[in-house]
Amino acid sequence: MVPRLSRTRIARRLPKTEITFRVARSESAGAVMRVTECLIKALRDSAIFNPEVQVAPSCILWPDKDRQWEAVIPRLQSELAELLVLGEYAPENRVGPAIWLRCVIAGKAPDVTLPADRVPVFYLPGVSRQDLRAIEDCPDLLKPLAELQYRGVIWSQANAKDWTIMAFLKSDQGGMGLDVAQDNDAKNAMQLALYRLLDEELELLKGKRLDKDYFNTLLTGGDPVRDLLQWLDLGDAFQTTRGANEWKAFVEVCKSQLAFNPQADGVLAGASKLAMREGPWHSVWERYSEAPKRYPNIPSRIRQCKPPDLGIFDTPAEKLSGWPQWNEEQEQALQRDLLALSQMPAHEARKRVLELEKTHAPRRELVWADLDESPLALTAKHLAVVAEVTKTALAAGTVADLQAGYATQGWRADDAVLSALACVDKATDVDAVTAAVRAIYLPWLEESARHLQKLVDGAVYPGGRISEAPAFYRVSGQCVLFVDGLRFDTARRLSTGLEARGYQVTESMNWTALPSVTATGKAAVSPVRNLISGTDDCDDFEPCVAATGQSLKGGYHLKKLLNDNHWKVLDRTDNGDGQGNAWCEFGDIDSEGHARGWKLAKHIDPLLAEIAERIGALLAAGWSSVRVVTDHGWLLMPGKLPTLQMSKDLTDNKWGRCASIKPGATTSERLYPWFWNPHQQFALADGVSCYGKSVDYNHGGLSLQECLTLDLAVTRGGSASGKQVVEVTDIAWKGLRCTVAVDGQYTNLSLDIRTQAGDPASSVVVSVKPLKDNGTASVVVENEELEGRAAFLVLLSASGELLAEANTVIGGGQ
């Protein structure tokens, strides 16, 4: 029978190499572990024994003369339930004197309970292995533990020395076998970063040089560039939120990697270096540019610094584009240049606008545009479209020529004016854009209107009269949607947005009834127009029911006429059942225009998105098609349209751009027959002028913008769900910035990244970004801690509807 030997004798018989081999073999067999798991495993494995020849150790002694591990012991106790600490009596923290630790082993300490299947570990801060061995000289407080070195086991290196942090990380015999720098700076940084190091994965540390930069970076959170930007943004408040060790590590990282000392140099020096973007600060600037709104105070910090002087060979844009002062100067210069256009002939103003666009276009790619500090640079793009389109005059040829020219290119000028105005908010910027619009757009608008009026004078207006109007073509299962004031260019925007949703849209041009006001126009596009006429004594442009003479004012009799002729009338929230035919009215474009003036430009896209949603709901309810009709367009001119004065003695009723003339009155104004009754004539203001009060927004006259409209016939396209037909062709990550490219119908779509595709609240980006004209967009993830997490890339409609999604990994990991 093999005798059972003491722990001391078996330790001498089993070479250290065999004990080390057991630990290494156990590690290789396991999964990837964190440093803390490796440490715990090494501690526990030190108690491995052969029950055939040994008795179980009563405890594991962990001496630590220099108290290197002391700071992380509370953390380890949360994962190592059998870990107790030598110290002042505090059993609730598993801390107590030597005699108490002996009581724990003996099971005589009711104030602490240890796992039954684990060997207790006694951490001995300030105590070395030699202190325990020198029993005669051992302090009285330690003597109760001295004999435990024989009944227990001491966790130590193969050379019998205590485990230091450096030794455990570096040693390949019982340690982790990592490449660790041994200079004093690295040792100091390692000690400070130990708490964070415990959470690192062993596999990620293998093959990596663990030097002072690594440990300092680890202590600051693993992202020194982010910390630097936060410091630049928060200033002194950053240091107060960090512990002394973290702040020291942050300073050391900056000194090492950027040759910059935050402690000594200060925030403003850092802000200046950031704006200069030289050397290693270039990558810091790129990181800032990814999400500048995350650091709102940095621009003001840079403004407190003096920009550098330009050298002979320096290009201002390259040298100064990191300085908000320079961008402000460029905006102010562009503002002055746009205001100066008011003193130029139209053709020179257009040429100048194109030059300004070329100069300022690069600023749209700078961080200041993302921070909404370059509104005029954004506006320049749209003003350039206005300048390019209006170089070609429409004031020539026949009515058919005018119609063709406007339908192919001219409407783009109207659309671009709206886009330009939508970019600006400040009064000074609005004044600059207003000056440009009036310089390059108003003359073109005026000339085309006058030419159209000249062609129509004494001839037949292309919109005709009710007697020449064809009967409304009824299509089974069709719903007619009336939108008040859907101008040609806005109808094109709506059409494009509907196609982007996967619907099929057929466009047809129409001329409105004269005068181009709702009272006349809505009835003229209704399915029951052949049952409507105008009386000889009407002076408010309101027609009536032909059979009864009842006025359509107020809408009651028009609805009754529709109902009587088998047209269901749906209110704003009723989608119907898709059976028969229906009429509904929706959209607030005209009322918003009269209320807001030029600011309609800022609201037009949300208004169109609401209309698109309404159309989608109707088609979803079962209607085979939705026919969108409108009564008139409108003129919009910031700085107000020109005015004409007409004596009240001449008119019965005077609207913005039209007026009914009193019987027998003599006037030099051009007179036109009313659509509903040619015996009734009225005056239309010359050019684009208004009668009486000057306003930004008006209609009722004769111009392409007011009178040439688009009807839209909308049906479900190839996508039965009515969703966007789009293909994501590329997803590229650079840090936390994701750039996406798509093919298909991507107009008016926006890009977002979410952790849950259908939940807007789960968005993780700084801001949702619209797709550019080339089908690309970039967004930046807000939280760096999400890197490596699976997420959804989603494409959204203008109304926020999710149209497409794709899987991705934040940061681009696999």
Side-chain angles (χ1 to χ4, degrees):
M1 180 175 179
V2 179
R4 297 180 69 84
L5 303 179
S6 72
R7 185 70 185 177
T8 302
R9 292 177 63 191
I10 197 67
R12 285 197 295 266
R13 288 190 178 189
L14 291 178
K16 273 288 183 180
T17 53
E18 183 172 348
I19 297 173
T20 302
F21 169 76
R22 288 175 180 173
V23 174
R25 181 175 58 190
S26 177
E27 288 177 348
S28 65
V32 173
M33 294 187 292
R34 295 176 296 134
V35 171
T36 183
E37 292 167 340
C38 294
L39 177 59
I40 291 172
K41 190 175 190 307
L43 276 164
R44 288 173 171 167
D45 284 356
S46 67
I48 292 175
F49 70 100
N50 185 346
E52 297 297 327
V53 294
Q54 289 180 272
V55 295
S58 60
C59 65
I60 301 169
L61 300 177
W62 179 1
D64 183 12
K65 179 68 174 178
D66 297 326
R67 298 176 179 267
Q68 289 192 9
W69 299 95
E70 189 172 27
V72 299
I73 292 302
R75 159 70 187 281
L76 289 174
Q77 282 185 304
S78 66
E79 299 188 46
L80 196 63
E82 67 269 29
L83 176 60
L84 297 98
V85 181
L86 175 68
E88 295 293 330
Y89 183 64
E92 68 278 7
N93 295 326
R94 303 209 299 273
V95 178
I99 191 64
W100 178 76
L101 295 177
R102 286 288 300 273
C103 292
V104 170
I105 294 177
K108 302 300 183 180
D111 46 10
V112 64
T113 302
L114 298 178
D117 59 341
R118 294 293 184 187
V119 178
V121 178
F122 293 164
Y123 172 70
L124 311 177
V127 178
S128 71
R129 180 189 183 101
Q130 294 307 314
D131 291 334
L132 293 173
R133 287 191 175 279
I135 298 176
E136 295 80 3
D137 300 324
C138 183
D140 291 341
L141 293 177
L142 284 180
K143 286 181 178 179
L145 299 180
E147 67 90 18
L148 290 180
Q149 63 184 302
Y150 305 109
R151 287 202 295 132
V153 61
I154 298 176
W155 185 53
S156 61
Q157 300 182 56
N159 58 10
K161 291 183 179 181
D162 295 346
W163 278 112
T164 63
I165 301 172
M166 173 66 74
F168 182 72
L169 294 178
K170 194 171 181 63
S171 175
D172 56 4
Q173 295 188 37
M176 299 179 66
L178 300 175
D179 180 11
V180 186
Q182 299 188 67
D183 58 276
N184 287 332
D185 287 340
K187 290 179 181 178
N188 291 334
M190 176 182 63
Q191 181 72 57
L192 295 175
L194 180 58
Y195 192 90
R196 296 279 179 85
L197 183 64
L198 292 177
D199 283 326
E200 294 297 289
E201 291 184 359
L202 175 60
E203 288 299 319
L204 299 179
L205 296 177
K206 290 179 179 178
K208 184 179 293 185
R209 177 67 170 173
L210 307 186
D211 55 14
K212 66 173 183 176
D213 283 347
Y214 171 80
F215 291 120
N216 284 327
T217 298
L218 184 65
L219 183 58
T220 60
D223 192 343
V225 174
R226 178 201 61 193
D227 290 342
L228 177 59
L229 290 172
Q230 288 181 343
W231 173 69
L232 291 173
D233 182 56
L234 299 174
D236 292 340
F238 175 85
Q239 185 174 354
T240 61
T241 61
R242 298 298 193 274
N245 290 343
E246 287 187 44
W247 171 253
K248 182 179 178 182
F250 169 68
V251 171
E252 291 301 318
V253 169
C254 290
K255 287 165 61 177
S256 175
Q257 298 185 9
L258 297 170
F260 173 75
N261 187 333
Q263 185 81 52
D265 299 334
V267 170
L268 295 186
S272 179
K273 288 182 176 294
L274 177 67
M276 292 292 291
R277 301 169 295 159
E278 294 178 346
W281 285 87
H282 181 75
S283 61
V284 182
W285 176 263
E286 285 193 335
R287 181 69 170 275
Y288 170 62
S289 298
E290 288 180 355
K293 292 183 179 179
R294 187 181 295 161
Y295 313 101
N297 297 313
I298 284 182
S300 63
R301 308 273 191 214
I302 299 176
R303 287 187 178 94
Q304 293 177 263
C305 307
K306 184 180 182 299
D309 296 325
L310 293 177
I312 298 176
F313 303 105
D314 287 333
T315 302
E318 295 178 357
K319 189 78 172 180
L320 299 176
S321 59
W323 298 80
Q325 300 96 309
W326 173 80
N327 184 67
E328 289 166 2
E329 291 170 358
Q330 294 297 301
E331 282 287 291
Q332 292 166 3
L334 179 53
Q335 186 183 105
R336 291 192 297 271
D337 289 336
L338 293 177
L339 288 170
L341 297 176
S342 62
Q343 307 301 317
M344 298 181 185
H347 68 282
E348 291 184 11
R350 292 178 185 122
K351 180 180 178 181
R352 180 62 176 147
V353 165
L354 295 175
E355 292 171 352
L356 292 173
E357 157 62 6
K358 185 176 180 180
T359 299
H360 293 276
R363 288 199 296 118
R364 292 195 288 271
E365 303 302 319
L366 300 180
V367 65
W368 314 118
D370 288 339
L371 291 173
D372 303 321
E373 294 187 12
S374 305
L376 292 180
L378 299 176
T379 296
K381 171 185 177 181
H382 305 296
L383 291 177
V385 174
V386 180
E388 193 65 46
V389 171
T390 57
K391 284 195 301 185
T392 302
L394 289 179
T398 64
V399 170
D401 295 330
L402 277 178
Q403 176 176 320
Y406 183 76
T408 54
Q409 287 293 323
W411 67 273
R412 295 178 60 238
D414 303 328
D415 182 74
V417 167
L418 295 180
S419 296
L421 289 168
C423 292
V424 290
D425 292 298
K426 293 191 299 184
T428 51
D429 291 340
V430 174
D431 290 344
V433 175
T434 295
V437 169
R438 297 183 74 83
I440 64 177
Y441 176 66
L442 180 56
W444 175 84
L445 197 67
E446 186 85 59
E447 289 165 4
S448 62
R450 289 183 184 278
H451 186 68
L452 176 62
Q453 291 161 8
K454 180 181 177 181
L455 291 174
V456 172
D457 188 26
V460 176
Y461 167 67
R465 294 167 294 186
I466 183 60
S467 59
E468 297 135 12
F472 194 94
Y473 182 64
R474 184 192 293 259
V475 177
S476 179
Q478 185 179 74
C479 179
V480 177
L481 177 64
F482 170 77
V483 178
D484 193 355
L486 186 65
R487 195 170 71 169
F488 193 101
D489 57 316
T490 58
R492 275 280 161 84
R493 283 198 195 187
L494 176 60
S495 177
T496 301
L498 290 167
E499 289 178 342
R501 293 168 179 251
Y503 299 116
Q504 185 171 337
V505 184
T506 302
E507 301 175 353
S508 58
M509 283 183 284
N510 290 294
W511 290 85
T512 65
L514 285 185
S516 52
V517 295
T518 301
T520 287
K522 180 161 70 170
V525 295
S526 74
V528 291
R529 62 188 175 204
N530 60 318
L531 302 175
I532 299 171
S533 65
T535 62
D536 291 341
D537 58 352
C538 179
D539 60 6
D540 58 3
F541 313 113
E542 287 279 2
C544 60
V545 179
T548 64
Q550 294 167 311
S551 174
L552 299 184
K553 185 180 293 186
Y556 170 79
H557 288 290
L558 177 60
K559 292 179 181 178
K560 185 175 185 303
L561 203 58
L562 288 163
N563 279 320
D564 291 345
N565 286 272
H566 310 295
W567 286 85
K568 303 172 186 175
V569 178
L570 308 177
D571 62 26
R572 291 177 64 93
T573 60
D574 183 7
N575 296 323
D577 57 8
Q579 301 299 311
N581 291 103
W583 164 275
C584 61
E585 301 175 18
F586 192 85
D588 301 308
I589 296 174
D590 191 43
S591 60
E592 289 288 309
H594 285 297
R596 298 181 183 275
W598 72 265
K599 291 184 179 179
L600 171 65
K602 290 181 166 295
H603 299 271
I604 196 69
D605 282 336
L607 291 171
L608 293 177
E610 290 178 354
I611 296 169
E613 288 292 331
R614 180 72 168 120
I615 292 170
L618 290 168
L619 289 172
W623 298 104
S624 61
S625 65
V626 175
R627 179 176 173 181
V628 183
V629 299
T630 191
D631 47 356
H632 58 75
W634 31 270
L635 298 173
L636 185 141
M637 181 57 57
K640 305 189 185 305
L641 292 159
T643 60
L644 288 174
Q645 297 304 318
M646 177 182 284
S647 172
K648 294 181 179 179
D649 296 335
L650 297 177
T651 63
D652 283 324
N653 202 338
K654 183 168 60 180
W655 291 20
R657 298 250 304 139
C658 59
S660 59
I661 306 300
K662 290 183 177 180
T666 302
T667 177
S668 60
E669 298 291 317
R670 289 193 179 120
L671 299 180
Y672 300 84
W674 185 29
F675 176 83
W676 295 106
N677 186 341
H679 301 297
Q680 284 283 87
Q681 292 190 319
F682 54 89
L684 297 182
D686 192 44
V688 293
S689 298
C690 300
Y691 289 128
K693 183 180 179 181
S694 181
V695 291
D696 296 339
Y697 172 98
N698 223 325
H699 59 88
L702 180 55
S703 68
L704 291 165
Q705 287 72 19
E706 295 167 282
C707 297
L708 187 60
T709 64
L710 279 180
D711 279 7
L712 307 178
V714 187
T715 58
R716 289 180 176 272
S719 172
S721 63
K723 300 292 184 184
Q724 169 80 34
V725 180
V726 63
E727 177 186 4
V728 177
T729 58
D730 188 40
I731 302 174
W733 285 91
K734 183 178 181 182
L736 294 177
R737 176 178 289 275
C738 179
T739 301
V740 173
V742 305
D743 277 342
Q745 299 170 327
Y746 50 75
T747 304
N748 294 330
L749 296 192
S750 296
L751 172 66
D752 191 9
I753 295 177
R754 300 172 176 176
T755 55
Q756 298 179 31
D759 182 8
S762 71
S763 174
V764 297
V765 302
V766 176
S767 60
V768 177
K769 293 291 186 181
L771 291 172
K772 299 179 180 179
D773 294 342
N774 62 358
T776 66
S778 293
V779 291
V780 176
V781 173
E782 177 80 28
N783 186 353
E784 288 91 343
E785 295 179 1
L786 295 175
E787 186 168 3
R789 180 173 174 178
F792 296 93
L793 180 154
V794 298
L795 297 176
L796 307 171
S797 71
S799 62
E801 180 186 5
L802 194 157
L803 301 179
E805 65 181 69
N807 295 324
T808 188
V809 174
I810 296 173
Q814 299 298 320

